[in-house]
Amino acid sequence: TSHQTDYFEWLLDTLRKYRGEVNQLWGDGVMAYWGAPVESANHARDAVAAILDCRTGLEKLNRQWADQGQPPLPTRFGVATGEVVVGNVGSPSRLAYAAVGDAVNLASRIEGMNRFYGTRLLVAGATRHGAGDEFEWRHVDGVRAKGKSQVVELYEPLGLVGEVPVDRLAFRDAYEDALDRYRGRDFQGALQVLEGLVESGRSDRSVERLRDLTLQYLADPPPADWDGVTNLRIK
């Protein structure tokens, strides 16, 4: 449809504006990468700025489409940072210029994790720390993929420093306080903070999830080697 065409055109233009290399389109999904083929020291910063701009613009477009009776096109973003192989892959009869590697797979998994936490934007810890200090963040969780020992910390980019509403920052601070208490096995303290968010009408899926886990561990404490990390059941 025409509004789907407008959606893709706007999304691709925005990614390219921040020096993203759009690599693949499949269905309603887009894959882009930064730092190749032209090397860039600011690839993490550019990726985060791009997805924040995409979120803002798509929210406006969805409001316009709703006014026109068109269905919204909600979009989730996942970003990871790491070494990948970029170049022609495949066979001599069918080559494609692509990026492959663990970081590409991780970014795809992180995109899907947005459903789990009720977020639209999530990035891996390496991206968050590589992006510099221009942005405000919320530490959402630490996860371990099935069959992996490495813990990936997940962060939600909130916006540029100085541009994020005060109530959003207050929600971030309270959530991170609850997460720290939870991971430190202070389940009663975590529950008190989370209940405060619920009672003030600032709950979301991530709060509900953490509250449910906290109640579970208050009733049945975890083993001594529990580290507060979410172990994913899928690879």
Side-chain angles (χ1 to χ4, degrees), residues 75-118:
T75 306
R76 295 178 295 268
F77 297 84
V79 185
T81 298
E83 292 187 1
V84 298
V85 176
V86 180
N88 290 320
V89 298
S91 67
S93 62
R94 188 173 178 82
L95 285 176
Y97 193 81
V100 296
D102 285 345
V104 176
N105 299 331
L106 177 59
S108 177
R109 289 197 295 270
I110 290 175
E111 183 275 325
M113 291 177 200
N114 281 288
R115 299 186 188 93
F116 195 51
Y117 298 99

Side-chain angles (χ1 to χ4, degrees), residues 48-153:
V48 173
I51 65 173
L52 283 167
D53 199 352
C54 285
R55 180 191 64 183
T56 301
L58 291 172
E59 286 173 350
K60 293 178 181 177
L61 285 175
N62 277 317
R63 287 194 292 270
Q64 292 175 16
W65 291 326
D67 292 341
Q68 297 165 7
Q70 300 277 11
L73 294 172
T75 306
R76 295 178 295 268
F77 297 84
V79 185
T81 298
E83 292 187 1
V84 298
V85 176
V86 180
N88 290 320
V89 298
S91 67
S93 62
R94 188 173 178 82
L95 285 176
Y97 193 81
V100 296
D102 285 345
V104 176
N105 299 331
L106 177 59
S108 177
R109 289 197 295 270
I110 290 175
E111 183 275 325
M113 291 177 200
N114 281 288
R115 299 186 188 93
F116 195 51
Y117 298 99
T119 51
R120 291 288 176 85
L121 315 177
L122 281 177
V123 312
T127 304
R128 180 258 182 272
H129 295 296
D133 54 7
E134 295 180 44
F135 308 101
E136 295 282 3
W137 303 88
R138 178 169 68 119
H139 185 196
V140 176
D141 200 10
V143 299
R144 184 185 292 112
K146 185 178 181 180
K148 302 281 187 178
S149 59
Q150 179 187 9
V151 176
V152 176
E153 301 295 342

